[in-house]
Amino acid sequence: MTRLDSSPVSATIPPQGPPVAAAPTALPVPAAAVLAVPPEQPAILPRDPRARLAALFDPGTLEFLPAEGGERSGAVAGVGLIQGTGAVAFASDPRVQGGAMGTAGCATIVGAYTEALSRGVPIVGLWHSGGARLAEGVASLHAVGTVFAAMTAASGRVPQISVVLGPAAGGAAYGPALTDIVILSGQGRIFVTGPDVVRSVTGEDVDAERLGGPEPHSRRSGVVHVVTETDTEALDRARQLAAMLSDQGKIGEDAEEHDLSGVLPEQARRAYDVHLLTARLLDSPGIELHPRWAPNIVTILGRLAGRTVGVVASNPMRLGGCLDAASAEKAARFVRMCDAFGVPLVVLVDVPGYLPGVGQEWDGVVRRGAKLLHAFAEATVPRVTLITRKAYGGAYIAMNSRSLGATRVFAWPGAEVAVMGGVAAVRILHRRALASVPPEQLHEAETQLAAEHEATAGGLQRALDLGVIDAIIEPSQTRQELARAIAEAPPLKGTHANIPL
């Protein structure tokens, strides 16, 4: 494949509404080939890749990169600014053979990756493609493979964000799947084989939306991280994520304290939604990834005291906050992505253990749970843990414990750290003695034995003595303590790729 020249080719996008003055730092956009748009139609055409790229970048900053094959290549690429920081992007051209990927179009995408790596900036792909071009045969298959190789080579080196605005089928389905974050608009569809093929081979009658739309990929498969109703919202999320990953900021000297008291229910056994806690902890709500897939673990990219952080949080509102096979895998992928790009981690723990059951064992909770252990143990970014209510058993270890190398571990007053809950433990340890206790005295006996067990085998004081917890902090001190711990830690980052676990 011919290597593309990295020099940009400028073009002009017709304005939408009144002209917008470019920012002082914006890249110049000399007049060149102007897109001809009839006056009665909107200036930005829904299927025009140049218009889509213009909507992604800051106004006046887009410069197009050279494309092999000209207007028939099926892909367009450009460089510019996103929220004031540099970025590279490419877009499928669904007007040319449905955006099918041929030799020329794939060369354009590979060239965009070369440009992103040379600049060290995020790359955003706008996907709307039916897969490899049938007319080119094996040549198109080889070309698609070179795109996959370029994505893999860039993994962990520059952030990769995919925005799926229409069908992404066949080879075009695996392109987004190899990137760090996948955003699906309301009209986006992702599948390896379309409804017609599925119907002819398996007899299953399914439409494109049910096969590869927002519901199955956001809730069932975990392929998609963010779902939006419109293309505009999808591009807006891509802009926010690219900015957070490329311009991560620094911890402010005086982290404004937010009152986190009152988030937890008074009754220790009552469930609560951890989003109430994350909303008060972060500067703003941030962007949650995979909100509907494995919702017993919450993963959010946001800012704490001005700095980008990744939040991993148990959610007691779903499955009691238990870890299971899917949530461990979800969290592991998120941890490795944050580590690869130097994003510090904040881990909020209220976990009763791993979810038991035959289904879990058969679904690979051992294999998939091991991914989370590996991810945290491998991570080098600052990573701070807060135990809010309880941390039991193997799940305590997996949620960024001191043994896995946590930078700091804090706990709120009254939190529990143990192999299991005190009452559950004494029911096993003292089952013979408890068997002889009259029923009316059983509760009192279990409570007394549980208190004795916590004093000798666990509890916060024991954890402090062992050094597995650094300090007990009040909810009112939490933001400042977490921010200070991150600010004081060495700003390290991983040296690994971000394989789609």
Side-chain angles (χ1 to χ4, degrees), residues 235-257:
L235 295 181
D236 183 59
R237 294 295 185 276
R239 287 171 51 82
Q240 294 176 52
L241 289 164
M244 276 197 287
L245 291 173
S246 60
D247 183 14
Q248 296 186 18
K250 296 181 179 180
I251 296 287
E253 293 185 3
D254 297 317
E256 179 185 356
E257 194 55 74

Side-chain angles (χ1 to χ4, degrees), residues 1 16 60 127 194 280:
M1 177 178 296
Q16 182 177 21
W127 292 87
R280 297 189 190 184

